[in-house]
Structures are given as structure tokens and as C-alpha cells.
Amino acid sequence: SQPCWSEYLTTRIEQNMVVNCTCPISECCAQPTTAFIYSIVSSEEIIAKYEKALLRCYVECCSNLTWCTNPQGCDQILLKDGLGYGAACSKCSWISCFNCSFPEAHYPASCSHMSHMTCAKCSHGFCWRCLKPWRPNHKDYYNCSAMVSKAAWQEKRFQDYNERCTFHHHAREFATSLRSSISSIREMPKLRNLTFVLDACKVLEQARKVLAYSCVYSYYNQDSESMDIVEEQAESLELLTNTL
């Protein structure tokens, strides 16, 4: 009956299970069509959820489409361009990485650079940015006895780069917060000419982002011949950024 179908489909939509749902009769594998669902379900709210489920399924099935990865939340669909990073989201301006699970474009660091660190002795994985374990069952990370003289040097080197990387991320957050604060007061009569300050904050955000991921790049490529030039450019950018 229609009431039974309506209740069944509504439940499946609420549970995000409607896309692959079949007839409730156990021996029947028929799937309800979109036209059938529209004719049975009358609630506009439930229909809206159904259409969102269809959209999610479509995006997940298309290899050239993805969702914006802005951690603050964004429902924009992006077209992948085949590069490690794409154009800024037209809705929130966030730049996503299309090749790995890291939430934003991380040039000049490669996708492999953004993978988590792993202990050579116990294979414990931990986060590059915060040093928190990827798996919570490792209880002796800070007392790991795998350290030898070379390993200790590597740890110190890692900590140095990690501190620099973290500093630039925090500085970037400050620039973002500053731009937001200025934007909220720019309509006041005496503070209309703040375009330069807002543009400067945007430049700061981008520069801090590049500097943060340059630390990742430098950490993994310290022994290459090109690193002297990269380090010089990074130092120059950091000096100018700090001045700004």
C-alpha cells in the first residue's frame, strides 16, 4: 500500500540508504525509481534529502568530480583538473588537493610528503603537524627506545622543521582572523578605505601557507642539490612576510 511504501522510503532516505534500496519483499530485487519515489513521498523535506543523496552518489561515481575539502564546511562540487591542486573554490575560495586525502593544496610539498610519519622500530604512525598518534593503541611513543645517534639527530631535525611548519600555520590563522575582523568593520564611515589592509592579509595567508609546506618539502629533500636555492628563496619569503 502507499502508506507502507511511504514509511519504508522515508526511513531509507533518513538513514541515507535510499540509493541502493530494493523492494522490501525479501525475494524481490527491484529498485524504486526516482519517479516512483516522487509519487509516493509527499514531504518536501524528505524529497530534499533524497535529492542530496542522489547528488552525493553522482559525485562519488564521477572520477573527475569531488567535494570542496574546506574543513570549515562547504557543499561546493569541484571539477578535478588533473593537477595536485585545483582552482580556488568559487564559493569559499579554499584550494583542495585532488590527489591525496590532505584537506588542502600543499605546494611545494608533494602528496607523498604529506603522509604521516612512521617509527622505524615499531611502525607507529603519527601526525606531521601535531605529533598525535594516528592509532591510539601506541602507549610508549614518547619512550621509544629506537633512538640512536643518527635517529636522535633525525628527530631533532624533524622537530625543528615541525616547529617552523606549525608556526607558519598559526601565523596563517592569525592573518585569516585579522582579515575577518577587518571585514566586519569596513562598513563604518571612517574605515572604508581598508582594501589595502584586506589584500595584505590575503597575501599573508598565502605566504604563510607556502612557507608551512616549504618546511615539509625541505625536510624530505634536504640532501638534494637544489635545496640551497629552495632554502634561500624560503628565507627571503619569510623575511618579507614577517616584515609585512
Side-chain angles (χ1 to χ4, degrees), residues 154-179:
Q154 287 285 3
E155 182 189 25
K156 177 62 168 60
R157 179 167 167 267
F158 168 78
Q159 289 177 347
D160 290 342
Y161 278 105
N162 183 67
E163 288 177 2
R164 288 168 55 190
C165 180
T166 302
F167 168 79
H168 290 305
H169 278 300
H170 287 331
R172 177 187 176 191
E173 292 171 359
F174 168 78
T176 303
S177 176
L178 181 62
R179 179 161 64 93

Side-chain angles (χ1 to χ4, degrees), residues 48-122:
K49 290 183 178 180
Y50 170 64
E51 292 174 344
K52 287 183 179 180
L54 288 180
L55 181 60
R56 283 196 304 270
C57 181
Y58 176 75
V59 173
E60 291 171 0
C61 291
C62 294
S63 60
N64 65 331
L65 297 179
T66 187
W67 296 99
C68 175
T69 58
N70 190 334
Q72 300 299 321
C74 180
D75 58 0
Q76 189 76 353
I77 298 172
L78 306 179
L79 177 66
K80 296 182 180 180
D81 59 6
L83 301 175
Y85 55 94
C89 173
S90 60
K91 185 174 182 178
C92 68
S93 300
W94 186 262
I95 305 179
S96 305
C97 178
F98 294 154
N99 291 336
C100 71
S101 59
F102 199 74
E104 68 175 344
H106 41 73
Y107 179 85
S110 69
C111 293
S112 61
H113 292 161
M114 302 313 299
S115 60
H116 62 266
M117 303 294 291
T118 304
C119 175
K121 180 180 180 180
C122 61

Side-chain angles (χ1 to χ4, degrees), residues 209-233:
K209 176 182 176 181
V210 172
L211 286 168
Y213 293 126
S214 292
C215 293
V216 182
Y217 180 85
S218 296
Y219 174 79
Y220 282 102
N221 295 275
Q222 188 65 30
D223 297 329
S224 64
E225 295 179 357
S226 62
M227 282 312 301
D228 288 340
I229 299 177
V230 173
E231 290 284 3
E232 288 178 4
Q233 293 294 326

